[in-house]
Amino acid sequence: MLTEAVENYLKALYDLQQAASPVSTSALAERMGVAPASVTAMMKKLSSESPTLVKYISHRGAVLTDLGRKKALEVIRHHRLIELYLHQQLGYSWDEVHDEAEKLEHFISETFEERIAELLGDPQFDPHGDPIPTKDGRLPKINLVPLSNAKERQVVRVARVADQDADLLRYLEGLGIKPNVTLRIVEKSPFDGPLYVVLAEEPDGERHGLGKSVTDNIDVEILPAAGAAGAS
């Protein structure tokens, strides 16, 4: 049995490794909200224990071992299944589920996890569009880019929205921007200026101007241009 603190470190390491590996102690400290010295102590502890969950090299950083990755994905699976259960079955809004799942993810049994998955029909994604790892640690692969990278006149499908900022989630919901909603980019201002979008199903509807701090937190799938499939 891993402690709650250890599981949180494994989750944070997994997430940060998607951007850079090895993960620096400073990056991990910022994510965890603790002092770098505390991170170093934990990494040394986890890398010296058997079975080993983390490989740590002083002044370089840390990476998960295969076992550490497996354990991290187990906790992430718990978290995202709980989020979806709270949203679909208990009526929680998508801006409420993250904090609740953070409290519960460490304490549910594997049996309870399986019952939730079965009830929900073995879902692939949580309410924010984050992929739910399978029981054996597999994740669906989707070619996503930040909305910030989209170009004028492109049509995109919202796939994922960062779930840690409840204010952002409430703001986007008020605009009708959620996973699986399709947007058309109508204008892109230069020098990191606002990106203007409309809901694709309402082409004459209201334009929404989104700043880069918002569009950086929305991942999208670029959809083929109309008529491209039949082009020669």
Side-chain angles (χ1 to χ4, degrees), residues 70 74 77-78 110-111 113-114 133-138:
K70 178 176 182 293
E74 286 178 3
R77 175 174 168 81
H78 287 181
E110 298 306 302
T111 300
E113 171 211 303
E114 291 172 7
T134 62
K135 189 72 175 174
D136 57 359
R138 290 179 291 110

Side-chain angles (χ1 to χ4, degrees), residues 105-164:
E105 65 189 21
H106 307 286
F107 305 111
I108 68 170
S109 67
E110 298 306 302
T111 300
F112 189 62
E113 171 211 303
E114 291 172 7
R115 294 287 178 89
I116 292 177
E118 182 180 358
L119 175 68
L120 298 175
D122 290 319
Q124 288 190 300
F125 300 95
D126 74 7
H128 313 101
D130 283 312
I132 299 173
T134 62
K135 189 72 175 174
D136 57 359
R138 290 179 291 110
L139 289 165
K141 292 185 179 179
I142 305 176
N143 186 23
L144 303 180
V145 298
L147 180 55
S148 304
N149 292 4
K151 300 176 181 178
E152 285 187 9
R153 295 186 294 279
Q154 282 186 325
V155 176
V156 302
R157 180 186 68 84
V158 176
R160 183 167 59 217
V161 179
D163 65 355
Q164 284 82 12

Side-chain angles (χ1 to χ4, degrees), residues 209-227:
L210 305 175
K212 193 170 186 299
S213 62
V214 174
T215 57
D216 279 350
N217 283 287
I218 303 174
D219 288 334
V220 300
E221 177 186 11
I222 307 294
L223 299 180

Side-chain angles (χ1 to χ4, degrees), residues 1 31 37-38 40 47 62 86 106 122 171 175 177 216 223 231:
M1 293 292 294
R31 173 62 61 90
S38 298
T40 299
S47 64
L86 292 171
H106 307 286
D122 290 319
Y171 172 69
L175 302 181
I177 299 175
D216 279 350
L223 299 180

Side-chain angles (χ1 to χ4, degrees), residues 51-84:
T52 306
L53 301 173
V54 171
K55 292 180 180 177
Y56 173 71
I57 302 175
S58 182
H59 305 299
R60 288 192 58 192
V63 295
L64 294 170
T65 63
D66 288 343
L67 179 60
R69 181 180 183 277
K70 178 176 182 293
K71 294 296 184 183
L73 286 170
E74 286 178 3
V75 183
I76 291 169
R77 175 174 168 81
H78 287 181
H79 181 99
R80 294 176 181 173
L81 281 171
I82 291 169
E83 285 193 336
L84 192 59

Side-chain angles (χ1 to χ4, degrees), residues 6-57:
V6 168
E7 289 184 344
N8 284 334
Y9 269 103
L10 297 181
K11 269 202 322 176
L13 264 174
Y14 176 84
D15 188 33
L16 292 170
Q17 272 186 212
Q18 308 313 301
S21 184
V23 176
S24 68
T25 54
S26 59
L28 192 50
E30 182 177 357
R31 173 62 61 90
M32 297 294 293
V34 299
S38 298
V39 171
T40 299
M42 178 62 82
M43 293 303 98
K44 288 180 176 178
K45 176 178 181 290
L46 294 179
S47 64
S48 63
E49 292 180 340
S50 182
T52 306
L53 301 173
V54 171
K55 292 180 180 177
Y56 173 71
I57 302 175

